Amino acid sequence: MSSKILITTGDLKDNYEILGPVYFSVSNKGLFGSQLGTLIKKYKTEIETLKKESLISMERPDWGLLWGEFSAGQNDFDKAFFIAAQELKVRAAILLADAIICMRQDIDMDTNGFQYFYMQMYGTAVKFQ
């Protein structure tokens, strides 16, 4: 089950076998909908639970107001990070992994016209020995 897969940004002291890299990307770009919007619907129950536990805030100041520009809003970043981590676990589960080590993520902004972001998350899937 993918929910049991551990994700860490570092290494583990346990002995493990490297299974291979895992990767996921998500974007809020789309004229009539986005990949992120579709995935938010898929993970709606889990996201609502996180909101109730205050792990994803319902409202957060949008720092774009300080610079007088529209921004995507921190809430979308929080949701995208959660979704990317869950989808990374799904990909690791296909490899029968127990953990993902050295996880990294990158966010790229596209501010031409509208503000869109692209998030990539990747790591190394491993199986404990």
Side-chain angles (χ1 to χ4, degrees):
M1 177 177 240
S2 64
S3 64
K4 301 284 185 186
I5 295 175
L6 172 71
I7 298 180
T8 179
T9 57
D11 200 356
L12 296 170
K13 292 186 181 202
D14 299 328
N15 291 327
Y16 55 80
E17 170 191 359
I18 294 176
L19 301 176
V22 286
Y23 171 85
F24 181 75
S25 67
V26 65
S27 174
N28 69 338
K29 187 170 187 172
L31 191 56
F32 298 108
S34 69
Q35 176 193 22
L36 178 61
T38 301
L39 288 168
I40 287 171
K41 290 176 188 170
K42 176 181 175 181
Y43 287 100
K44 181 180 180 183
T45 302
E46 291 94 335
I47 290 170
E48 290 300 320
T49 300
L50 291 173
K51 283 181 183 177
K52 288 177 186 171
E53 295 171 0
S54 297
L55 297 176
I56 294 180
S57 63
M58 291 290 284
E59 293 183 23
R60 220 180 241 185
D62 186 344
W63 295 105
L65 293 174
L66 295 177
W67 296 284
E69 62 185 40
F70 173 78
S71 70
Q74 293 294 329
N75 207 14
D76 280 349
F77 291 132
D78 291 343
K79 290 175 186 176
F81 187 90
F82 171 77
I83 289 167
Q86 295 305 106
E87 289 292 321
L88 207 62
K89 289 179 182 181
V90 168
R91 282 144 182 79
I94 293 168
L95 300 174
L96 304 177
D98 295 314
I100 300 166
I101 61 170
C102 302
M103 185 276 290
R104 299 290 182 263
Q105 60 100 23
D106 178 57
I107 297 176
D108 296 314
M109 301 295 292
D110 177 358
T111 57
N112 294 324
F114 296 101
Q115 190 167 28
Y116 299 111
F117 69 86
Y118 306 88
M119 177 183 283
Q120 302 85 37
M121 187 177 284
Y122 54 94
T124 302
V126 299
K127 182 143 191 80
F128 297 132
Q129 294 181 333

